[in-house]
Amino acid sequence: MPETATPGEPSSGTVTVPLHAVAHARTGDKGNRLNASVIAFRPELFAPLVEQVTEDRVRALFAHRCPGRISRHVLPNLGALNFVIDDVLDGGVNQSLNLDGHGKTLSFLLLTLTVEIPEGLLSGTG
Amino acid sequence: MEADVFRIGSGAGFSGDRLDAPGPVVDTLIAAGGPSAIIFETLGERTLALAQLARRSGGAGWEPLLELLLEPVLARCVRNGVRIIGNFGAADPAGAARLIAEIAARQGVGQARIAVVRGDDLLESAETVALLESVRCEPPLDGRPVAANLYLGARAIAEALDAGADIVVTGRVADPALALGPLVHHFGWDWDDWDRLAAGTLAGHLLECGAQVSGGYFADPGRKDVPDAHDIGFPIAEMTADGGFTITKAAGTGGCVTPATVKEQILYEVHDPAGYLTPDVVLDITGVTVEQVGPDRVAVAGARGRPRPETLKATVCYEGGWLGEGEISYAGPNAAARARLALDVLARRIPPGCAWRGDIIGVTSVFGDDAGRRLDGHAGAAGDDVRVRLAVAAPDRRSAERGAQEVLALYTCGPAGGGGVRTSVRPRINTASAYLPRAAVEARFTMLETSHA
């Protein structure tokens, strides 16, 4: 799974873009559990996120952190997904040797996932 | 006439927040004219353990910046009826209250009534220590407890305000309780009016991290631009009796309040959005809506509540050995290869019995993992200005120092051209969670007796 992609490569009316082009995100930590919101910039961009930003793809993106349980919560009112990812903080902020033991920077790892967006929806994004 | 609105401003979102932030918030609350409060959230998971350690070694057990945070606003708040609620009491709420009384007297508002909320500190009495020992900690403790504190709810705060407190000093309480307390005091909501308690808790959740809802921790140039990011105004919630509220911010400041900033903070540190557990209510945000209703004004509606849990959460901080760190830079031709060689050298010289991690800042560091899988996956990456970082977790101080010392030794023994070594050694504090039966714990407030009363 590529972690980054260059915009372009249109196929059958869609464009492959990093999630960063169509959504924003914030992570939070509790112990060794990370939560990561993914929020569509505009309501019409939410459906492709629900379809494509799946637990399996998030698991693959975090594979080097050996995630445990991953759950995804869908919040249509907010145009947002909330991922809860267990065991990816190397023990949590107090136990981890990572410079970023909170996992605060991981929101932008998540935003490197790519999604296919109908071309017409992309204008005016961000 | 304006409907009955209660305003709550945020004065701090963590220990170490901007000291000039509370001023414009208080100005805005006073200009608005109605009943109001300002809350200070300064306790992270480990902050309280650090405060306990400071107190035991003869220092202050309260928020180190307390005086600097309150001095600019205290007299104005007292004179204008802006209630102050803060968990800046940390490990010594009574000591913090005495300090605040001194500041108040100095500023000519010695009549201020200061309440102290107690009951969170489980190491305070033999009974609560025994209670803690009777329940399971997750993960199990493998070090000496330094601090053990319950997350108390809003009730003692509301009761202190009912009794006439101008200032309420707490130790550990659930962060949103700092806001829910004054709301329940003002509106007289019942403690089983779950939907209103949920609305107040959501407002508190949005305020508890300070600028994180008003343009702080948000800017991403070209995607999410934030005006005057050097001067972000701290947030204010305007609550009405029915539980509807608006998030805005201090007047004349930078930053922004938009649906996007509010959404990011709604979900911050939330797991199951249908069941966010607090001591006062189980909050369900799945029906929450946000709507821009004016410049830097976002209306939030739809919070739902369910009966509060029967247990209270405690965070136990315990001694976790020592951390040694060292960094060294390599730049120019073949820099990344020299950095990798440095890590290889370090890996063979780690003191026995120590866990360690190596990063190459500029290739991968924070996205990586303790085992170095991601760094290995970037084997070909070249950077022309990179920094090696070694972190060593040791059971004792000497081993942590030896680990850090190995980075220093690279000056003469390591690859060519290393420079800029920095090393540090410090004790680590680990945390565990425990759940205690609510009925076994008593949260209470006392009013500080001062000579000025």
Side-chain angles (χ1 to χ4, degrees), chain B residues 328 330 334-344 360 386-388 415:
Chain B
I328 184 169
Y330 296 90
N334 217 20
R338 284 179 284 136
R340 281 182 191 276
L341 176 58
L343 269 187
D344 290 344
I360 300 177
V386 300
R387 189 158 176 83
V388 168

Side-chain angles (χ1 to χ4, degrees), chain B residues 53-118:
Chain B
L53 291 173
R55 188 184 184 189
R56 283 179 204 171
S57 58
W62 54 83
E63 160 59 41
L65 298 174
L66 175 58
E67 203 161 357
L68 295 174
L69 273 171
L70 285 189
E71 264 180 338
V73 296
L74 181 63
R76 274 186 295 154
C77 285
V78 173
R79 291 198 180 103
N80 291 279
V82 179
R83 309 292 185 95
I84 297 173
I85 301 99
N87 58 11
F88 36 45
D92 187 7
R98 287 190 294 272
L99 174 62
I100 295 169
E102 281 174 33
I103 304 170
R106 204 159 69 215
Q107 297 191 341
V109 288
Q111 77 279 10
R113 303 195 72 195
I114 306 172
V116 178
V117 171
R118 307 286 294 268

Side-chain angles (χ1 to χ4, degrees), chain B residues 30-49:
Chain B
I30 292 172
S36 66
I38 182 167
I39 60 174
F40 292 82
E41 199 293 287
T42 61
L43 279 186
E45 270 197 332
R46 279 175 304 175
T47 322
L48 225 153

Side-chain angles (χ1 to χ4, degrees), chain A residues 3 20-31 33-41 61 63-66 73-84 89-100 102 104-112 125-126, chain B residues 45-46 139 212-213 216-220 222-224 259-261 263-274 276 285-290 313 318 323 325 327 355-357 359 361 365-371 373-374 378 389 391-393 428-431:
Chain A
E3 287 180 356
H20 184 236
V22 292
H24 54 119
R26 180 172 291 183
T27 49
D29 70 301
K30 295 271 187 209
R33 176 175 286 173
L34 182 78
N35 96 285
S37 61
V38 176
I39 305 164
F41 276 127
L61 184 68
H64 63 290
R65 297 272 188 128
C66 302
H73 303 276
V74 181
L75 294 122
N77 281 357
L78 301 179
L81 305 172
N82 189 42
F83 287 91
V84 182
L89 293 178
D90 288 317
V93 63
N94 304 312
Q95 277 86 344
S96 167
L97 294 176
N98 193 326
L99 275 171
D100 175 24
H102 294 97
K104 284 179 175 286
T105 56
L106 295 174
S107 51
F108 279 77
L109 178 60
L110 194 51
L111 292 178
T112 63
T125 295
Chain B
E45 270 197 332
R46 279 175 304 175
Q212 276 197 187
V213 74
Y217 208 62
F218 184 78
D220 185 6
R223 295 252 184 263
K224 299 186 294 173
T261 69
K263 287 177 189 176
E264 279 196 21
Q265 193 57 23
I266 285 178
L267 289 170
Y268 181 66
E269 291 183 341
V270 166
H271 296 150
D272 177 3
Y276 184 70
I285 59 170
T286 55
V288 167
T289 58
V290 298
K313 182 183 172 181
Y318 58 98
L323 176 68
E325 289 180 287
E327 294 184 2
W356 66 279
R357 168 183 172 124
D359 293 301
I361 298 166
S365 57
V366 290
F367 280 178
D369 52 290
D370 279 1
R373 284 176 285 262
R374 193 173 198 274
H378 284 60
R389 169 180 179 262
V392 175
R428 311 187 85 195
I429 292 166
N430 290 346
T431 59

